[in-house]
Amino acid sequence: MCGIVGYVGEKPAASILIDSLKKLEYRGYDSAGICVLNDSLKTYKTTGKIANLESILPEGIEGTIGIGHTRWATHGKPNTVNSHPHLSGDVAVVHNGIIENYLELKEKLIGDGYIFKSDTDTEVIAHLLHSHLYGGIDGVFKLCDLMVAVQKTLLSLEGSYAIAALCSSDPGVMVVARKDSPLVIGIGDGEIFAASDVTAFLKHTKDVIFVDDDEVASIRAGGNVEFFDADGNPVTKETIKIEWYIEDAEKAGYEHFMLKEIHEQASSVQDTFAGKISEMEGAVVLDELNMSDEQIRHMTRIEIIACGTSWNAGLVGKYLFEQLAGIHTDVDTGSEFRYGYPVICGEVLTIAITQSGETADTLAAVRGARSYGCRAIAITNVVGSTITREIDSVLYTRAGPEIGVAATKSFTTQLITLYMLALKFARIRGKISAEDSKNLLVALKKIPADIQKILNRKKVIQECAKQFSDSNDYFFIGRHLNYPIALEGALKLKEISYIHAEGYAAGELKHGPLALLTDKTPVVAIATKGHTYEKMLSNIKEVKARDAVVIAVADEDDTEIEKYVDVVLRVPKSHELLSPILSSVVLQLLAYYTALERGCSIDKPRNLAKSVTVE
Ligand code: M6R
């Protein structure tokens, strides 16, 4: 995920910016840059590590005001041109977030004569600032100050942003603003810092002011900060003292990256569907899919290829593509796909799901499928990864960097992407009405808030995890869409807590595994309401009859379930097709707190790697 930093003070800005960017490295990035203002703007940017950026900086850069950025590519490749800061004349800007209407703005700015150098959404901000400052590309006289130019620019932006801007004709001031992306100001002694999170300046000050959505701040040399709301009215803000140690802060205060990443899901899910759905029209817009309606209508089969957690997401995808779009779907693990049948692929669409885009088994299987003539698309989280260079089209999840080995936010954002894709196919193939599609999209938009509700109530899940953390075996059961969620719940638990755990289709227990159940075996039953709910209740009774402990994941308004189980972990009521996303957040927390109780190495479990690049 991108990170922004800014400094206004009396010390040389360059070294402070570089140091602050290093503190944001944990967020993950592919390029970095800084811009320092003295008489003019001096900009330095490059791909790769911050060490690369340091190596191109000249000695003794003068200037005590500057901005900096670490970039995690979303729009456009990770290269030097696309890295920030972006410039327009004597204006420089850094940005974290996604400008959803950038194409529309870009077209207008090009019409006004602005020339775009990068493929990023951010560059429109730089040109908009310039056009407000000077009245257009050829303007010479300043029409307003930077603060006003930022306020005017924000009026045209849709999407999320935390920005910091400089202008050499308005020296001594940095303007920052935010909407739906984090931004915090650090108040030092005669110096002010701005950053995506406090880790960036914690060694200089613990006195901070959190910028709220739609607020703009003008920061001047001498330590003067003024805040304004969306209507330009001055706002009085409270300074808070942060009680963090720098070591903790590298994980933004979370004990583990996994916990941090679980908590990021409300926003990563939102970012993944942002700008891609119109619930008014019941439409999903996935231009990057690059498939004609004709091709979508003639598709006869979908072949999903993935490994591990991504494979579990693929199994959810199978239900979605079959139920919503009426397309027969097979799901194979990358490592097994090639030993099956030679696929004759005229009308078959291959979908590779891989967070990293680097999993060797998945890559090899996709190469095989393409050699049969299959059209292949990838769902991945990493811009520029190997799969993106070997595929017909790419759908990016916008989870941001996932550092913990256990996949969490990458899984839920994969589910969101599959859901959007299935809806798009369903509409084009005439399988669902615009009205039904609208309802499903309205339900989708509610998911980030529902995830947040689960996170707010995580204590209950922690208690449950503690109660059963000594168990040697766990079972996870579910039916229909909740069956892959049972598999994923078991995978999460086993990989980080080292407890033997099995995921089962609930109806299959009686064909063997029931023999293993004792009063020492917790069985997690995913029993959210849906067309298999009654059958799940029967399975739960079967389990209880063998004295096993049952932990149910159930809707918050389900009062029936309490009669049959030992513990209920609640999820907000949601559409049957979307509740798996919510249940998986509960199961991630259950696994996390179990591993925590057992003192396991949560972010780096034994024998496992984040990205498996060998077959
Ligand atoms: O990067 P990928 O999605 O291709 O990785 C596939 C699996 O290695 C991965 O999902 C793994 O199962 C998870 N890290 C487990 O939490």
Side-chain angles (χ1 to χ4, degrees):
M1 237 178 312
C2 302
I4 70 168
V5 298
Y7 176 75
V8 181
E10 288 161 3
K11 299 176 191 145
S15 55
I16 291 176
L17 293 171
I18 292 287
D19 190 53
S20 297
L21 288 178
K22 284 183 182 165
K23 297 290 184 303
L24 296 186
E25 277 189 300
Y26 79 91
R27 295 166 70 89
Y29 65 105
D30 46 56
S31 47
I34 61 168
C35 176
V36 176
L37 172 57
N38 198 14
D39 292 331
S40 59
L41 299 171
K42 298 276 184 315
T43 305
Y44 310 91
K45 50 190 197 174
T46 188
T47 52
K49 294 286 160 203
I50 289 168
N52 296 2
L53 175 62
E54 278 181 294
S55 72
I56 61 164
L57 297 183
E59 283 290 309
I61 300 170
E62 289 188 9
T64 59
I65 173 166
I67 55 180
H69 190 265
T70 47
R71 174 170 190 254
W72 168 263
T74 53
H75 292 75
K77 291 197 170 104
N79 59 26
T80 303
V81 174
N82 287 333
S83 55
H84 301 213
H86 287 284
L87 303 180
S88 181
D90 66 352
V91 178
V93 68
V94 290
H95 164 225
N96 170 27
I98 295 167
I99 304 304
E100 288 164 18
N101 60 337
Y102 84 101
L103 282 175
E104 194 186 300
L105 295 170
K106 186 169 177 176
E107 222 170 275
K108 160 103 183 43
L109 286 159
I110 290 173
D112 292 345
Y114 283 95
I115 295 166
F116 279 75
K117 296 198 177 86
S118 76
D119 304 318
T120 64
D121 52 339
T122 302
E123 198 178 343
V124 299
I125 305 177
H127 295 313
L128 282 170
L129 287 172
H130 182 274
S131 77
H132 288 302
L133 276 166
Y134 296 103
I137 180 82
D138 298 321
V140 181
F141 301 108
K142 210 151 82 95
L143 305 178
C144 61
D145 63 18
L146 182 61
M147 177 71 199
V148 173
V150 169
Q151 284 169 323
K152 288 186 175 172
T153 296
L154 299 185
L155 295 177
S156 7
L157 302 184
E158 284 169 24
S160 57
Y161 51 78
I163 59 168
L166 299 176
C167 166
S168 59
S169 63
D170 209 347
V173 64
M174 169 171 74
V175 179
V176 299
R178 86 155 257 179
K179 181 170 172 275
D180 294 336
S181 286
L183 181 62
V184 58
I185 307 288
I187 310 292
D189 187 8
E191 56 187 0
I192 306 282
F193 305 82
S196 297
D197 73 53
V198 288
T199 53
F201 52 70
L202 206 50
K203 82 176 202 199
H204 301 283
T205 180
K206 292 190 174 195
D207 294 326
V208 308
I209 299 175
F210 288 98
V211 183
D212 288 312
D213 273 350
D214 299 315
E215 284 179 352
V216 183
S218 150
I219 303 169
R220 291 188 175 275
N224 174 9
V225 195
E226 290 175 298
F227 288 87
F228 300 89
D229 66 14
D231 300 320
N233 303 312
V235 183
T236 309
K237 303 281 292 181
E238 191 191 353
T239 303
I240 293 166
K241 193 164 272 309
I242 292 285
E243 300 300 341
W244 270 1
Y245 297 102
I246 186 75
E247 303 80 38
D248 297 338
E250 303 224 316
K251 291 179 189 119
Y254 289 97
E255 197 172 345
H256 296 96
F257 281 110
M258 183 182 178
L259 188 61
K260 173 172 167 281
E261 287 157 6
I262 290 173
H263 278 77
E264 284 170 347
Q265 290 177 107
S267 59
S268 57
V269 156
Q270 168 95 37
D271 287 348
T272 298
F273 66 67
K276 298 195 182 309
I277 61 171
S278 156
E279 73 270 33
M280 298 297 284
E281 290 162 27
V284 174
V285 184
L286 294 173
D287 292 338
E288 59 275 44
L289 184 60
N290 244 340
M291 282 177 77
S292 67
D293 288 3
E294 195 72 351
Q295 283 172 313
I296 292 171
R297 275 191 212 104
H298 287 139
M299 212 189 309
T300 50
R301 189 165 73 82
I302 290 176
E303 172 70 52
I304 297 180
I305 297 168
C307 299
T309 290
S310 297
W311 181 74
N312 291 337
L315 288 176
V316 175
K318 172 183 168 68
Y319 289 103
L320 295 174
F321 289 126
E322 292 186 344
Q323 185 169 327
L324 286 172
I327 311 170
H328 174 83
T329 302
D330 293 309
V331 190
D332 282 295
T333 58
S335 54
E336 287 299 315
F337 175 79
R338 286 175 302 158
Y339 308 116
Y341 38 88
V343 194
I344 310 303
C345 276
E347 315 294 338
V348 176
L349 175 69
T350 299
I351 303 179
I353 308 176
T354 164
Q355 184 281 134
S356 60
E358 303 292 350
T359 300
D361 287 327
T362 303
L363 289 171
V366 170
R367 284 173 197 139
R370 293 192 84 213
S371 73
Y372 298 132
C374 265
R375 177 179 180 80
I377 67 170
I379 296 177
T380 187
N381 193 37
V382 182
V383 175
S385 56
T386 304
I387 195 120
T388 66
R389 299 192 292 269
E390 300 193 10
I391 207 95
D392 296 301
S393 40
V394 184
L395 300 179
Y396 285 108
T397 50
R398 287 175 175 164
E402 193 177 65
I403 295 163
V405 163
T408 51
K409 58 181 182 166
S410 63
F411 178 66
T412 45
T413 54
Q414 285 166 352
L415 297 188
I416 294 287
T417 307
L418 288 162
Y419 186 80
M420 291 193 294
L421 197 55
L423 261 181
K424 182 174 177 71
F425 288 169
R427 280 294 291 137
I428 291 173
R429 292 164 69 97
K431 296 289 178 187
I432 61 168
S433 66
E435 201 50 37
D436 286 346
S437 182
K438 273 183 205 174
N439 293 337
L440 287 164
L441 291 175
V442 168
L444 174 62
K445 283 197 97 172
K446 202 174 138 280
I447 291 297
D450 287 345
I451 291 176
Q452 195 52 54
K453 278 190 199 160
I454 295 171
L455 297 172
N456 295 346
R457 298 187 286 213
K458 63 187 178 217
K459 275 262 165 271
V460 180
I461 303 170
Q462 183 168 14
E463 284 310 310
C464 171
K466 264 190 194 167
Q467 203 180 333
F468 302 107
S469 64
D470 286 340
S471 309
N472 292 323
D473 306 283
Y474 248 93
F475 274 81
F476 289 74
I477 58 171
R479 279 174 177 263
H480 190 239
L481 278 160
N482 287 333
Y483 162 49
I485 301 305
L487 295 179
E488 176 58 11
L491 175 58
K492 282 295 84 94
L493 188 73
K494 72 182 105 179
E495 72 175 319
I496 61 166
S497 76
Y498 314 145
I499 294 177
H500 164 243
E502 293 196 38
Y504 256 90
E508 281 292 293
L509 277 190
K510 56 187 175 295
H511 298 291
L514 274 185
L516 289 171
L517 299 188
T518 69
D519 59 357
K520 305 250 170 336
T521 326
V523 177
V524 179
I526 303 144
T528 44
K529 285 272 173 72
H531 69 286
T532 60
Y533 178 74
E534 294 301 331
K535 290 253 184 315
M536 270 307 289
L537 285 186
S538 309
N539 295 135
I540 286 171
K541 287 174 195 164
E542 276 164 16
V543 170
K544 279 308 297 173
R546 273 80 191 172
D547 292 329
V549 178
V550 178
I551 303 165
V553 178
D555 291 340
E556 59 195 355
D557 62 354
D558 182 352
T559 47
E560 172 80 1
I561 194 106
E562 303 158 356
K563 297 179 200 155
Y564 312 109
V565 306
D566 301 275
V567 180
V568 188
L569 302 176
R570 301 284 179 184
V571 292
K573 177 98 194 96
S574 68
H575 193 284
E576 182 181 2
L577 296 181
L578 288 160
S579 67
I581 298 171
L582 302 180
S583 302
S584 46
V585 177
V586 171
L587 301 186
Q588 292 164 0
L589 286 165
L590 184 69
Y592 173 80
Y593 285 120
T594 305
L596 188 68
E597 195 61 24
R598 291 164 68 96
C600 298
S601 164
I602 293 181
D603 284 333
K604 289 186 183 146
R606 69 185 177 210
N607 306 335
L608 298 179
K610 183 68 186 159
S611 181
V612 186
T613 53
V614 286
E615 284 187 52

mmCIF file of all heavy atoms in Angstrom, residues 306-311 353-359 362 402 404-408 410 414 488 491-492 495 608-612, ligand 1:
data_model
loop_
_atom_site.group_PDB
_atom_site.id
_atom_site.type_symbol
_atom_site.label_atom_id
_atom_site.label_comp_id
_atom_site.label_asym_id
_atom_site.label_seq_id
_atom_site.Cartn_x
_atom_site.Cartn_y
_atom_site.Cartn_z
ATOM 1 N N ALA A 306 -5.766 -22.736 -8.970
ATOM 2 C CA ALA A 306 -5.214 -21.981 -7.835
ATOM 3 C C ALA A 306 -4.620 -22.963 -6.826
ATOM 4 O O ALA A 306 -4.759 -24.176 -6.977
ATOM 5 C CB ALA A 306 -6.319 -21.165 -7.169
ATOM 6 N N CYS A 307 -3.974 -22.421 -5.800
ATOM 7 C CA CYS A 307 -3.402 -23.252 -4.734
ATOM 8 C C CYS A 307 -3.807 -22.694 -3.372
ATOM 9 O O CYS A 307 -3.993 -21.475 -3.227
ATOM 10 C CB CYS A 307 -1.876 -23.241 -4.786
ATOM 11 S SG CYS A 307 -1.216 -23.888 -6.316
ATOM 12 N N GLY A 308 -3.870 -23.585 -2.391
ATOM 13 C CA GLY A 308 -4.064 -23.178 -0.998
ATOM 14 C C GLY A 308 -5.314 -22.346 -0.790
ATOM 15 O O GLY A 308 -6.408 -22.692 -1.259
ATOM 16 N N THR A 309 -5.135 -21.239 -0.101
ATOM 17 C CA THR A 309 -6.266 -20.365 0.181
ATOM 18 C C THR A 309 -6.923 -19.870 -1.106
ATOM 19 O O THR A 309 -8.150 -19.765 -1.189
ATOM 20 C CB THR A 309 -5.777 -19.173 1.036
ATOM 21 O OG1 THR A 309 -5.445 -19.664 2.323
ATOM 22 C CG2 THR A 309 -6.835 -18.103 1.174
ATOM 23 N N SER A 310 -6.122 -19.584 -2.102
ATOM 24 C CA SER A 310 -6.679 -19.103 -3.372
ATOM 25 C C SER A 310 -7.551 -20.183 -4.013
ATOM 26 O O SER A 310 -8.540 -19.887 -4.680
ATOM 27 C CB SER A 310 -5.557 -18.693 -4.330
ATOM 28 O OG SER A 310 -4.832 -17.619 -3.775
ATOM 29 N N TRP A 311 -7.183 -21.445 -3.792
ATOM 30 C CA TRP A 311 -8.001 -22.547 -4.302
ATOM 31 C C TRP A 311 -9.348 -22.586 -3.566
ATOM 32 O O TRP A 311 -10.398 -22.796 -4.175
ATOM 33 C CB TRP A 311 -7.241 -23.869 -4.114
ATOM 34 C CG TRP A 311 -7.965 -25.086 -4.626
ATOM 35 C CD1 TRP A 311 -8.143 -25.446 -5.922
ATOM 36 C CD2 TRP A 311 -8.593 -26.105 -3.834
ATOM 37 N NE1 TRP A 311 -8.851 -26.623 -5.995
ATOM 38 C CE2 TRP A 311 -9.128 -27.044 -4.733
ATOM 39 C CE3 TRP A 311 -8.742 -26.300 -2.464
ATOM 40 C CZ2 TRP A 311 -9.819 -28.181 -4.290
ATOM 41 C CZ3 TRP A 311 -9.426 -27.435 -2.035
ATOM 42 C CH2 TRP A 311 -9.952 -28.361 -2.938
ATOM 43 N N ILE A 353 -6.203 -17.927 -9.922
ATOM 44 C CA ILE A 353 -6.314 -17.067 -8.734
ATOM 45 C C ILE A 353 -5.020 -17.214 -7.941
ATOM 46 O O ILE A 353 -4.662 -18.322 -7.533
ATOM 47 C CB ILE A 353 -7.512 -17.472 -7.849
ATOM 48 C CG1 ILE A 353 -8.806 -17.554 -8.689
ATOM 49 C CG2 ILE A 353 -7.701 -16.472 -6.707
ATOM 50 C CD1 ILE A 353 -10.015 -18.038 -7.904
ATOM 51 N N THR A 354 -4.313 -16.120 -7.755
ATOM 52 C CA THR A 354 -3.066 -16.174 -7.007
ATOM 53 C C THR A 354 -2.757 -14.810 -6.411
ATOM 54 O O THR A 354 -2.602 -13.841 -7.163
ATOM 55 C CB THR A 354 -1.885 -16.688 -7.869
ATOM 56 O OG1 THR A 354 -0.658 -16.379 -7.211
ATOM 57 C CG2 THR A 354 -1.860 -16.122 -9.272
ATOM 58 N N GLN A 355 -2.709 -14.734 -5.107
ATOM 59 C CA GLN A 355 -2.413 -13.472 -4.429
ATOM 60 C C GLN A 355 -1.099 -12.903 -4.928
ATOM 61 O O GLN A 355 -1.014 -11.753 -5.329
ATOM 62 C CB GLN A 355 -2.351 -13.733 -2.914
ATOM 63 C CG GLN A 355 -2.133 -12.514 -2.025
ATOM 64 C CD GLN A 355 -0.700 -12.021 -1.935
ATOM 65 O OE1 GLN A 355 -0.446 -10.812 -2.044
ATOM 66 N NE2 GLN A 355 0.261 -12.920 -1.780
ATOM 67 N N SER A 356 -0.062 -13.732 -4.880
ATOM 68 C CA SER A 356 1.290 -13.254 -5.186
ATOM 69 C C SER A 356 1.537 -13.112 -6.673
ATOM 70 O O SER A 356 2.385 -12.337 -7.095
ATOM 71 C CB SER A 356 2.308 -14.241 -4.621
ATOM 72 O OG SER A 356 2.101 -15.508 -5.227
ATOM 73 N N GLY A 357 0.802 -13.905 -7.459
ATOM 74 C CA GLY A 357 1.086 -13.931 -8.904
ATOM 75 C C GLY A 357 2.367 -14.660 -9.220
ATOM 76 O O GLY A 357 2.873 -14.613 -10.338
ATOM 77 N N GLU A 358 2.926 -15.367 -8.227
ATOM 78 C CA GLU A 358 4.235 -16.004 -8.411
ATOM 79 C C GLU A 358 4.213 -17.495 -8.078
ATOM 80 O O GLU A 358 5.253 -18.143 -8.135
ATOM 81 C CB GLU A 358 5.291 -15.339 -7.499
ATOM 82 C CG GLU A 358 5.468 -13.842 -7.682
ATOM 83 C CD GLU A 358 6.073 -13.462 -9.033
ATOM 84 O OE1 GLU A 358 6.537 -14.363 -9.757
ATOM 85 O OE2 GLU A 358 6.052 -12.264 -9.364
ATOM 86 N N THR A 359 3.070 -18.048 -7.700
ATOM 87 C CA THR A 359 3.036 -19.456 -7.291
ATOM 88 C C THR A 359 3.358 -20.363 -8.477
ATOM 89 O O THR A 359 2.636 -20.371 -9.491
ATOM 90 C CB THR A 359 1.658 -19.799 -6.690
ATOM 91 O OG1 THR A 359 1.469 -18.944 -5.560
ATOM 92 C CG2 THR A 359 1.563 -21.243 -6.261
ATOM 93 N N THR A 362 0.691 -22.792 -9.949
ATOM 94 C CA THR A 362 -0.395 -22.097 -10.654
ATOM 95 C C THR A 362 0.111 -21.595 -12.010
ATOM 96 O O THR A 362 -0.565 -21.746 -13.032
ATOM 97 C CB THR A 362 -0.917 -20.920 -9.793
ATOM 98 O OG1 THR A 362 -1.333 -21.450 -8.536
ATOM 99 C CG2 THR A 362 -2.080 -20.203 -10.452
ATOM 100 N N GLU A 402 0.324 -8.010 1.582
ATOM 101 C CA GLU A 402 -0.016 -8.949 2.650
ATOM 102 C C GLU A 402 1.298 -9.570 3.102
ATOM 103 O O GLU A 402 1.960 -10.263 2.331
ATOM 104 C CB GLU A 402 -0.975 -10.008 2.111
ATOM 105 C CG GLU A 402 -1.626 -10.841 3.185
ATOM 106 C CD GLU A 402 -2.614 -11.797 2.575
ATOM 107 O OE1 GLU A 402 -2.177 -12.704 1.816
ATOM 108 O OE2 GLU A 402 -3.818 -11.664 2.836
ATOM 109 N N GLY A 404 1.910 -11.154 6.421
ATOM 110 C CA GLY A 404 1.726 -12.408 7.162
ATOM 111 C C GLY A 404 1.603 -13.565 6.174
ATOM 112 O O GLY A 404 0.968 -13.415 5.126
ATOM 113 N N VAL A 405 2.224 -14.710 6.507
ATOM 114 C CA VAL A 405 2.154 -15.855 5.587
ATOM 115 C C VAL A 405 0.708 -16.314 5.401
ATOM 116 O O VAL A 405 0.288 -16.691 4.303
ATOM 117 C CB VAL A 405 3.061 -17.006 6.103
ATOM 118 C CG1 VAL A 405 2.707 -18.326 5.436
ATOM 119 C CG2 VAL A 405 4.521 -16.663 5.824
ATOM 120 N N ALA A 406 -0.076 -16.270 6.458
ATOM 121 C CA ALA A 406 -1.475 -16.700 6.346
ATOM 122 C C ALA A 406 -2.269 -15.682 5.532
ATOM 123 O O ALA A 406 -2.307 -14.504 5.862
ATOM 124 C CB ALA A 406 -2.079 -16.837 7.732
ATOM 125 N N ALA A 407 -2.875 -16.160 4.476
ATOM 126 C CA ALA A 407 -3.665 -15.259 3.628
ATOM 127 C C ALA A 407 -4.951 -14.876 4.356
ATOM 128 O O ALA A 407 -5.655 -15.736 4.879
ATOM 129 C CB ALA A 407 -4.000 -15.961 2.318
ATOM 130 N N THR A 408 -5.236 -13.590 4.414
ATOM 131 C CA THR A 408 -6.469 -13.130 5.062
ATOM 132 C C THR A 408 -7.199 -12.156 4.130
ATOM 133 O O THR A 408 -8.157 -12.520 3.471
ATOM 134 C CB THR A 408 -6.165 -12.446 6.414
ATOM 135 O OG1 THR A 408 -5.137 -11.455 6.211
ATOM 136 C CG2 THR A 408 -5.723 -13.450 7.451
ATOM 137 N N SER A 410 -6.235 -11.046 1.357
ATOM 138 C CA SER A 410 -6.180 -11.426 -0.063
ATOM 139 C C SER A 410 -7.333 -12.373 -0.376
ATOM 140 O O SER A 410 -7.914 -12.327 -1.465
ATOM 141 C CB SER A 410 -4.839 -12.065 -0.416
ATOM 142 O OG SER A 410 -4.648 -13.257 0.296
ATOM 143 N N GLN A 414 -10.355 -11.656 -2.980
ATOM 144 C CA GLN A 414 -10.560 -12.581 -4.103
ATOM 145 C C GLN A 414 -12.045 -12.938 -4.212
ATOM 146 O O GLN A 414 -12.620 -13.001 -5.303
ATOM 147 C CB GLN A 414 -9.746 -13.868 -3.905
ATOM 148 C CG GLN A 414 -8.255 -13.703 -4.148
ATOM 149 C CD GLN A 414 -7.426 -14.877 -3.632
ATOM 150 O OE1 GLN A 414 -7.938 -15.782 -2.941
ATOM 151 N NE2 GLN A 414 -6.138 -14.879 -3.948
ATOM 152 N N GLU A 488 -11.254 -23.411 4.381
ATOM 153 C CA GLU A 488 -10.358 -22.278 4.643
ATOM 154 C C GLU A 488 -10.164 -22.087 6.151
ATOM 155 O O GLU A 488 -9.053 -21.790 6.612
ATOM 156 C CB GLU A 488 -10.925 -21.016 3.972
ATOM 157 C CG GLU A 488 -10.155 -19.735 4.225
ATOM 158 C CD GLU A 488 -8.699 -19.763 3.793
ATOM 159 O OE1 GLU A 488 -8.271 -20.698 3.099
ATOM 160 O OE2 GLU A 488 -7.961 -18.838 4.197
ATOM 161 N N LEU A 491 -7.720 -24.665 7.220
ATOM 162 C CA LEU A 491 -6.371 -24.341 6.734
ATOM 163 C C LEU A 491 -5.724 -23.251 7.598
ATOM 164 O O LEU A 491 -4.563 -23.356 7.998
ATOM 165 C CB LEU A 491 -6.448 -23.891 5.265
ATOM 166 C CG LEU A 491 -5.149 -23.401 4.618
ATOM 167 C CD1 LEU A 491 -4.072 -24.466 4.658
ATOM 168 C CD2 LEU A 491 -5.383 -22.981 3.169
ATOM 169 N N LYS A 492 -6.514 -22.210 7.904
ATOM 170 C CA LYS A 492 -5.969 -21.112 8.732
ATOM 171 C C LYS A 492 -5.512 -21.654 10.079
ATOM 172 O O LYS A 492 -4.430 -21.351 10.553
ATOM 173 C CB LYS A 492 -7.012 -20.010 8.991
ATOM 174 C CG LYS A 492 -7.311 -19.010 7.921
ATOM 175 C CD LYS A 492 -6.204 -18.091 7.521
ATOM 176 C CE LYS A 492 -5.312 -18.727 6.500
ATOM 177 N NZ LYS A 492 -5.557 -18.483 5.128
ATOM 178 N N GLU A 495 -2.339 -24.014 9.838
ATOM 179 C CA GLU A 495 -1.054 -23.438 9.426
ATOM 180 C C GLU A 495 -0.437 -22.529 10.483
ATOM 181 O O GLU A 495 0.779 -22.432 10.569
ATOM 182 C CB GLU A 495 -1.152 -22.726 8.072
ATOM 183 C CG GLU A 495 -1.896 -21.420 8.065
ATOM 184 C CD GLU A 495 -1.850 -20.713 6.719
ATOM 185 O OE1 GLU A 495 -0.786 -20.713 6.079
ATOM 186 O OE2 GLU A 495 -2.873 -20.167 6.319
ATOM 187 N N LEU A 608 6.716 -22.786 6.197
ATOM 188 C CA LEU A 608 5.890 -22.162 5.154
ATOM 189 C C LEU A 608 6.523 -20.876 4.621
ATOM 190 O O LEU A 608 7.236 -20.186 5.337
ATOM 191 C CB LEU A 608 4.492 -21.835 5.697
ATOM 192 C CG LEU A 608 3.662 -23.028 6.168
ATOM 193 C CD1 LEU A 608 2.320 -22.552 6.709
ATOM 194 C CD2 LEU A 608 3.449 -24.027 5.040
ATOM 195 N N ALA A 609 6.228 -20.558 3.363
ATOM 196 C CA ALA A 609 6.703 -19.300 2.767
ATOM 197 C C ALA A 609 5.499 -18.542 2.243
ATOM 198 O O ALA A 609 4.475 -19.137 1.910
ATOM 199 C CB ALA A 609 7.643 -19.588 1.609
ATOM 200 N N LYS A 610 5.637 -17.247 2.169
ATOM 201 C CA LYS A 610 4.522 -16.442 1.672
ATOM 202 C C LYS A 610 4.251 -16.740 0.207
ATOM 203 O O LYS A 610 3.125 -16.835 -0.227
ATOM 204 C CB LYS A 610 4.855 -14.949 1.858
ATOM 205 C CG LYS A 610 3.740 -14.016 1.439
ATOM 206 C CD LYS A 610 2.554 -14.142 2.366
ATOM 207 C CE LYS A 610 1.351 -13.360 1.925
ATOM 208 N NZ LYS A 610 0.103 -13.869 2.526
ATOM 209 N N SER A 611 5.323 -16.867 -0.526
ATOM 210 C CA SER A 611 5.149 -17.074 -1.953
ATOM 211 C C SER A 611 5.891 -18.348 -2.326
ATOM 212 O O SER A 611 7.086 -18.467 -2.076
ATOM 213 C CB SER A 611 5.732 -15.851 -2.665
ATOM 214 O OG SER A 611 5.572 -15.978 -4.018
ATOM 215 N N VAL A 612 5.170 -19.334 -2.905
ATOM 216 C CA VAL A 612 5.781 -20.645 -3.151
ATOM 217 C C VAL A 612 6.196 -20.719 -4.619
ATOM 218 O O VAL A 612 5.388 -21.023 -5.498
ATOM 219 C CB VAL A 612 4.804 -21.779 -2.766
ATOM 220 C CG1 VAL A 612 5.489 -23.131 -2.889
ATOM 221 C CG2 VAL A 612 4.294 -21.573 -1.346
HETATM 222 O O1 M6R B 1 0.066 -16.388 -3.858
HETATM 223 P P1 M6R B 1 -0.938 -17.477 -4.016
HETATM 224 O O2 M6R B 1 -2.334 -17.034 -3.769
HETATM 225 O O3 M6R B 1 -0.820 -18.180 -5.331
HETATM 226 O O4 M6R B 1 -0.557 -18.540 -2.904
HETATM 227 C C1 M6R B 1 -1.166 -19.806 -2.859
HETATM 228 C C2 M6R B 1 -0.967 -20.448 -1.512
HETATM 229 O O5 M6R B 1 0.399 -20.705 -1.278
HETATM 230 C C3 M6R B 1 -1.496 -19.560 -0.389
HETATM 231 O O6 M6R B 1 -2.822 -19.227 -0.624
HETATM 232 C C4 M6R B 1 -1.390 -20.258 0.981
HETATM 233 O O7 M6R B 1 -2.210 -21.376 1.003
HETATM 234 C C5 M6R B 1 -1.793 -19.272 2.049
HETATM 235 N N1 M6R B 1 -0.697 -18.401 2.344
HETATM 236 C C6 M6R B 1 -2.275 -19.918 3.289
HETATM 237 O O8 M6R B 1 -2.752 -18.994 4.198
#
